[in-house]
DNA sequence: ATTTATTTTTAGACAAACCTAAAAAATAAT
DNA sequence: ATTATTTTTTAGGTTTGTCTAAAAATAAAT
């Protein structure tokens, strides 16, 4: 099957709102897709007719098995393009999303397989999110919040729970990105800020608000 | 201004039918865009309202100055992506067109500038067609048909006047592509076929029908 | 110069994706 | 248990891009 750009955007939005696990509300979809609830209802009917979601009026919607498959494919394309933009075209990691939002709809399977190969089969996008393979499988890391990383334990930044522009800007300024080696030197009980060391930079302190949105994995 | 995928396809089609020089007929457009003449008329009215073409009923249409600008931009994107697909993702030169037809509509100026840079500012696409630079300028070579290349004159394949699948297939089989060094060893007056030498392959003969569609440049 | 054939445009419809305003259902508050 | 609030759906419209069938204009043939 081949889906329209709009249909694909809806399916991905449902997936991103955890619609493969819990039901997603009409309003939540309207919010993230920047459209009106009435328009969402229209589309939900169409997606239900195509058996991509299960949907009963007033009950929210969730992805069907087929819907999850389609969603994972769109997510795969999105994240591979993000990786390409960051790695090859040297886009900043806060710029890649908007462009990938368009590129993800180019529907040549061969293009995506070749791109994947060309990029060396990356498993994580520039935001640390896992890239599904051609079968939809993706690797998950056991991640901890930076605030919970034990002292003097070498770890790597592997994800973010806040991907807002403000957050990305702060991290760029601090020269922290996905893959950056990090180690906690000291924790301050008063405001829960942490003193960290990255690569060969001098020690510096990061606030609790920021640190709790930075995910790391170690060992 | 930002144009829809359909508008862009029409503008590029008009350009490819030499609509910056001669008027293009409604039927010719319908033919190349695989649509109906009535639909073309509708779109021509819209493009005229946006001042991208000059159009009087029953007189055909041609691109305005602004229309040419827009067309060159689309052609630039199309050919840069073709180059990327052939050069980096190792697509065959007969496969690149269809995918580029979709990629050309992704509308991030920064993406295109970065891609151009990443590719090393190529000046010709895999079919030998010139790639407009960011100002719309493109390089033209003084080309001759292979049939008209003088004997024993080293030259390079630089273009095709027939880009049909059949033609591209034949050339791939003969291992001829854009940039291939070629030299004529002998011409046969009877059927105007030519015996040529490419790179370190043994001599072989090519028919007049094929040779007349292969453009080369020398010296 | 008519007639015939071709090309192009108009008229009227349709599907996709969106909208506003009003009605209905589900929740929350008294 | 009513009443009030929020959420969701329906009803009816709009825009974009397409279509078929019929009419009009142009070009070609007698
Ligand atoms: Mn998108
Ligand atoms: Mn991402
Ligand atoms: Mn196109
Ligand atoms: Mn080309």
């Amino acid at each position: 099957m081949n889906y329209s750009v709009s249909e694909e955007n809806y399916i991905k939005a449902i997936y991103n709102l955890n619609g493969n696990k819990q039901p997603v509300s009409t309003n939540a979809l309207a919010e993230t897709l920047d459209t009106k609830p009435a328009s969402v209802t229209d589309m939900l009917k169409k997606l239900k007719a195509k058996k991509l979601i299960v949907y009963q009026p007033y009950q929210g919607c969730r992805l069907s098995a087929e819907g999850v498959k389609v969603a994972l494919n769109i997510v795969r394309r999105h994240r591979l393009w993000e990786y390409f933009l960051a790695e090859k075209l040297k886009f900043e990691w806060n710029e890649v999303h908007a462009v990938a939002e368009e590129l993800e709809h180019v529907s040549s399977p061969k293009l995506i397989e070749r791109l994947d190969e060309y990029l060396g089969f990356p498993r994580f996008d520039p935001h640390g999110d896992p890239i599904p393979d051609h079968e939809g499988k993706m690797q998950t890391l056991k991640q901890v919040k930076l605030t919970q990383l034990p002292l003097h334990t070498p770890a790597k930044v592997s994800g973010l729970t806040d991907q807002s522009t403000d957050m990305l800007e702060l991290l760029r300024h601090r020269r922290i990105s996905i893959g950056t080696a990090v180690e906690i030197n000291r924790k301050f009980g008063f405001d829960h800020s942490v003193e960290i060391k990255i690569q060969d930079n001098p020690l510096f302190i990061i606030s609790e608000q920021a640190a709790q949105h930075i995910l790391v994995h170690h060992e």
Side-chain angles (χ1 to χ4, degrees), chain A:
Chain A
M1 282 300 135
N2 227 11
Y3 304 102
S4 74
V5 169
S6 248
E7 288 170 333
E8 290 191 344
N9 282 336
Y10 273 86
I11 294 180
K12 188 165 62 99
I14 295 170
Y15 178 86
N16 286 335
L17 290 167
N18 285 310
N20 49 335
K21 299 169 194 159
Q22 324 146 18
V24 171
S25 79
T26 301
N27 267 1
L29 269 172
E31 174 76 16
T32 60
L33 288 168
D34 198 29
T35 182
K36 303 289 148 151
S39 309
V40 173
T41 302
D42 284 351
M43 182 59 91
L44 293 184
K45 286 177 185 168
K46 214 189 325 171
L47 295 178
K48 183 188 182 179
K50 297 194 178 184
K51 296 179 196 290
L52 292 171
I53 60 172
V54 307
Y55 162 66
Q56 290 297 98
Y58 299 101
Q59 303 304 125
C61 69
R62 19 184 323 172
L63 292 171
S64 68
E66 179 63 21
V68 172
K69 245 192 196 168
V70 175
L72 284 170
N73 217 272
I74 303 165
V75 167
R76 168 169 163 77
R77 301 193 301 244
H78 183 96
R79 292 181 183 165
L80 277 175
W81 281 119
E82 281 191 345
Y83 186 92
F84 169 76
L85 293 170
E87 201 65 24
K88 302 289 187 182
L89 301 197
K90 307 300 176 195
F91 274 64
E92 299 292 344
W93 70 347
N94 56 329
E95 301 173 307
V96 299
H97 185 78
V99 181
E101 200 58 45
E102 291 195 53
L103 285 165
E104 69 188 356
H105 303 292
V106 175
S107 63
S108 160
K110 183 164 187 175
L111 168 64
I112 297 305
E113 299 319 307
R114 286 290 175 92
L115 181 64
D116 196 10
E117 189 183 346
Y118 178 64
L119 298 175
F121 305 103
R123 281 164 309 184
F124 297 95
D125 82 3
H127 308 106
D129 294 316
I131 300 175
D133 69 17
H134 68 109
E135 283 173 331
K137 291 187 180 129
M138 47 191 165
Q139 190 168 321
T140 45
L141 297 173
K142 341 134 203 56
Q143 304 177 115
V144 235
K145 291 178 183 174
L146 179 54
T147 47
Q148 282 150 8
L149 180 65
L151 283 175
H152 308 296
T153 311
K156 277 194 175 181
V157 175
S158 60
L160 300 175
T161 52
D162 179 340
Q163 301 189 359
S164 66
T165 326
D166 283 349
M167 180 65 169
L168 298 180
E169 189 199 351
L170 178 123
L171 293 175
R172 195 168 64 245
H173 181 250
R174 287 300 181 88
R175 298 185 205 292
I176 296 172
S177 60
I178 298 299
T180 303
V182 61
E183 188 174 323
I184 294 188
N185 188 57
R186 192 162 160 187
K187 296 184 179 189
F188 296 95
F190 178 68
D191 59 359
H192 300 98
S193 60
V194 291
E195 187 179 49
I196 65 174
K197 180 160 173 35
I198 60 168
Q199 327 267 62
D200 28 45
N201 292 55
L203 293 168
F204 63 87
I205 292 178
I206 200 164
S207 72
E208 186 198 13
Q209 294 101 297
Q212 83 192 150
H213 288 296
I214 300 174
L215 300 176
V216 301
H217 73 120
H218 60 287
E219 176 246 16

